[in-house]
Amino acid sequence: FNHWGLHISPDLDTLMYTLAGVADPDRGWGRAQESWTVLDTLSDLGGIDWFRLGDRDLAVHLERSVRMGEGETLSTVTRHLCRAFGVTATLVPPTNDEVRTMVDTTDRTLSFQEYFVRERCEPLVTGLLYQGASQATLLPEIGRSLAGDRLEAVILSPSNPYLSLDPILEIADLRHRLAASPAPVVAVSPLIQSHAFKGPTAKIMMELGFAVSTLTVAQHYADILDGIVIDPADRELSGAIADLGIKVWITDTNMANEQDKRRLAAEVISFSETIAG
Amino acid sequence: FNHWGLHISPDLDTLMYTLAGVADPDRGWGRAQESWTVLDTLSDLGGIDWFRLGDRDLAVHLERSVRMGEGETLSTVTRHLCRAFGVTATLVPPTNDEVRTMVDTTDRTLSFQEYFVRERCEPLVTGLLYQGASQATLLPEIGRSLAGDRLEAVILSPSNPYLSLDPILEIADLRHRLAASPAPVVAVSPLIQSHAFKGPTAKIMMELGFAVSTLTVAQHYADILDGIVIDPADRELSGAIADLGIKVWITDTNMANEQDKRRLAAEVISFSETIAG
């Protein structure tokens, strides 16, 4: 999204910082050992300071913006930045076109960051709009990868389905391509019973009139999912989910520490391997 | 000028920082107690790092760029920033339009900052171009001020005539308005004999084929000057300058410290008062 006139891609950056080992583990966003000189100075000048950009983080957005201003695509810039950060995994945005998540609330329509950061998810959500998603062009390598036979699995992380995953899934014909892909598509439910790991997932599901349950999540992705990982606390949903044609893997999905994360990731991979057969 | 996609006005900022008491006295540009986190990080990412923007300085350029991106003019933003910095003097840019100083060198044409900062004034200058200056619109308050009877004096500081003052003087019909103004127009020569206080003034004069002398400076401004302040070392030029119709004030123009600056400034003001009569 655009802030301070800069191209900012918070999710790509969080992945990049995490893989590079420079992410702030406590805050959950931005860089570790960050300083805030620019933000504090700009705040003193009466500037817009609700989106907290640290100095080191800002340098990344400046470099991205300069390169995109010169005509480079987001995917090219992302490749460059990952290389500069020593990230060996391949990170790609779903599209090089602009897609904006707009949040309809009882009062007015907010951009995602206004809703999420400035308003702290407080307004009541009445609808969501993924501006530009259907007209956007899917990154060609994603299409090739999904159609090919070298892709081992597609994993939908336990993120907010409406705020984080749908903005990607609604791009062009990505949902159809995921449904048609020979690779197993596996999700990890963001809910344990009616509680989300973090963030406003449960709150938004309620406001949108959905039952706050892993079954709702499975239904939401039913067209694309081959499997879903759910918590033992939701064991009784297994039958209903299986009826949707989705395989179920039951394991502790709560991630309290690094070890939990690695254990769950390994289980998700073995689950996807059993589905691939 | 534009750098990192930001609107940067180094001369306005140096004046603003100086008047606000936050300028770096040793460096001669930027802010005191500056940090360089963004620049260093961006440099590590392979970004363009020859123009050294400090963190606090950068915040000003970001705020200016955000406001100009929203349609505010440079003069409006300058007024806002000055207020935020507690500057009570009125600082105005000569125009809200874009004017770029381009430096022709033996090899190629460089932007002013490329020539001055990146190439450290090393290339041989063959010509200068003030792109956009003649088509630019002079700030209306400057025109009104010059035509009115409340303006006490116009003072041309001992800056580089070709790199610093001409880019302003060439805007629209400013030279004609200065010549026609009832207020005295007084310059301080940037030269003592054939040496400039600082910067590449003497070098450029030589390269452009001019005699490196205060007489050349007086001739260069002859159409607009009522008076010029020269150093005792150039006393013998007084007659030739007076022949141009320019009054001469002789005093030490070398400024080694704050006290020298204040003394010279006071003398320039009394000189302009004697001219105004």
Side-chain angles (χ1 to χ4, degrees):
Chain A
F1 80 116
N2 211 288
H3 188 74
W4 291 358
L6 304 173
H7 288 275
I8 304 186
S9 301
D11 289 353
L12 278 175
D13 288 345
T14 295
L15 287 169
M16 183 172 73
Y17 294 158
T18 303
L19 292 169
V22 300
D24 189 288
D26 304 319
R27 226 187 298 119
W29 53 269
R31 295 186 57 170
Q33 277 139 31
E34 186 59 288
S35 59
W36 309 88
T37 310
V38 176
L39 181 75
D40 291 343
T41 310
L42 195 135
S43 179
D44 288 345
L45 296 174
I48 301 163
D49 58 1
W50 57 263
F51 194 79
R52 296 188 56 75
L53 291 173
D55 298 331
R56 286 166 185 76
D57 193 27
L58 176 60
V60 169
H61 310 314
L62 273 167
E63 181 61 12
R64 176 187 295 115
S65 304
V66 167
R67 287 174 174 264
M68 290 180 71
E70 288 167 352
E72 282 189 34
T73 60
L74 178 59
S75 57
T76 307
V77 176
T78 303
R79 202 182 312 130
H80 164 80
L81 290 172
C82 282
R83 203 179 300 126
F85 273 99
V87 170
T88 51
T90 305
L91 278 188
V92 287
T95 179
N96 282 320
D97 299 326
E98 199 180 330
V99 176
R100 283 168 62 90
T101 302
M102 302 302 292
V103 183
D104 283 334
T105 71
T106 30
D107 282 354
R108 54 199 165 132
T109 301
L110 301 167
S111 73
F112 169 72
Q113 299 292 350
E114 286 171 342
Y115 165 76
F116 197 80
V117 181
R118 196 185 68 195
E119 307 295 333
R120 296 185 191 77
C121 306
E122 284 164 12
L124 198 147
V125 176
T126 56
L128 288 150
L129 185 66
Y130 311 109
Q131 264 178 6
S134 61
Q135 307 94 299
T137 302
L138 187 70
L139 213 69
E141 44 264 59
I142 294 178
R144 278 198 299 274
S145 197
L146 288 173
D149 54 7
R150 291 180 51 208
L151 185 66
E152 292 176 35
V154 176
I155 296 163
L156 307 192
S157 65
S159 292
N160 190 307
Y162 312 98
L163 290 181
S164 300
L165 291 174
D166 281 358
I168 299 173
L169 296 175
E170 293 303 314
I171 286 169
D173 56 351
L174 179 54
R175 272 189 103 107
H176 295 289
R177 287 173 186 264
L178 281 167
S181 175
V185 178
V186 173
V188 179
S189 175
L191 296 173
I192 298 178
Q193 293 186 325
S194 60
H195 299 287
F197 296 146
K198 62 172 186 176
T201 305
K203 176 175 182 287
I204 289 179
M205 290 178 83
M206 223 151 14
E207 289 167 0
L208 292 176
F210 296 120
V212 184
S213 151
T214 283
L215 181 59
T216 307
V217 176
Q219 286 164 336
H220 187 69
Y221 297 135
D223 55 328
I224 54 170
L225 281 193
D226 298 299
I228 189 166
V229 176
I230 69 172
D231 197 81
D234 289 317
R235 188 181 298 274
E236 78 274 16
L237 300 175
S238 306
I241 296 174
D243 288 346
L244 297 168
I246 302 171
K247 293 194 169 63
V248 177
W249 183 280
I250 300 172
T251 189
D252 280 339
T253 57
N254 191 40
M255 292 173 277
N257 52 45
E258 184 69 21
Q259 198 188 335
D260 288 351
K261 291 180 189 176
R262 291 182 179 275
R263 197 256 317 142
L264 180 58
E267 284 202 56
V268 173
I269 291 171
S270 4
F271 177 38
S272 70
E273 284 168 352
T274 63
I275 294 175
Chain B
F1 79 115
N2 211 287
H3 189 73
W4 290 358
L6 304 173
H7 288 275
I8 304 185
S9 301
D11 289 354
L12 279 174
D13 287 345
T14 295
L15 287 169
M16 182 172 74
Y17 295 158
T18 303
L19 292 169
V22 299
D24 188 287
D26 304 320
R27 228 187 297 120
W29 52 269
R31 295 187 55 171
Q33 278 142 28
E34 186 58 290
S35 58
W36 308 88
T37 309
V38 177
L39 181 75
D40 290 345
T41 310
L42 195 136
S43 179
D44 288 346
L45 297 174
I48 301 163
D49 58 1
W50 57 264
F51 194 79
R52 296 188 57 75
L53 291 174
D55 298 331
R56 287 167 184 76
D57 192 28
L58 176 59
V60 170
H61 309 314
L62 274 167
E63 182 61 13
R64 175 188 293 116
S65 304
V66 166
R67 287 173 174 264
M68 291 181 70
E70 287 166 354
E72 284 189 34
T73 61
L74 178 59
S75 56
T76 307
V77 177
T78 302
R79 201 181 313 131
H80 165 79
L81 290 173
C82 282
R83 202 179 301 126
F85 273 100
V87 171
T88 51
T90 305
L91 277 187
V92 287
T95 180
N96 282 321
D97 299 327
E98 200 180 332
V99 176
R100 285 168 60 88
T101 303
M102 303 301 292
V103 183
D104 283 334
T105 70
T106 31
D107 283 355
R108 55 199 165 132
T109 300
L110 301 168
S111 73
F112 169 72
Q113 298 291 352
E114 286 171 343
Y115 165 77
F116 197 82
V117 181
R118 195 184 69 195
E119 307 295 334
R120 296 183 190 78
C121 306
E122 283 164 11
L124 198 148
V125 176
T126 56
L128 289 150
L129 185 67
Y130 311 110
Q131 267 178 6
S134 59
Q135 305 97 297
T137 303
L138 187 70
L139 213 69
E141 44 264 58
I142 295 179
R144 277 198 298 273
S145 197
L146 287 174
D149 54 6
R150 292 180 50 208
L151 185 64
E152 292 176 32
V154 176
I155 296 164
L156 307 190
S157 66
S159 292
N160 190 310
Y162 312 99
L163 291 181
S164 301
L165 291 175
D166 281 357
I168 299 173
L169 296 175
E170 293 302 315
I171 286 169
D173 55 352
L174 179 55
R175 273 189 102 106
H176 295 288
R177 287 174 185 264
L178 281 167
S181 175
V185 179
V186 173
V188 179
S189 175
L191 296 173
I192 298 177
Q193 293 188 324
S194 59
H195 299 287
F197 296 145
K198 62 173 187 176
T201 306
K203 177 175 181 287
I204 289 179
M205 290 179 83
M206 226 159 2
E207 290 167 0
L208 292 175
F210 295 119
V212 184
S213 152
T214 281
L215 181 57
T216 306
V217 175
Q219 287 164 337
H220 188 69
Y221 297 135
D223 54 328
I224 53 170
L225 282 194
D226 297 300
I228 189 167
V229 176
I230 70 172
D231 196 82
D234 289 318
R235 188 180 298 275
E236 78 273 16
L237 300 174
S238 306
I241 295 174
D243 288 346
L244 296 167
I246 302 170
K247 292 194 169 63
V248 176
W249 182 280
I250 301 172
T251 188
D252 280 338
T253 57
N254 191 40
M255 292 173 277
N257 53 46
E258 185 69 20
Q259 199 190 333
D260 287 352
K261 291 180 189 175
R262 291 183 179 274
R263 196 257 316 144
L264 180 58
E267 284 202 54
V268 172
I269 291 170
S270 6
F271 178 37
S272 69
E273 284 167 352
T274 64
I275 294 175

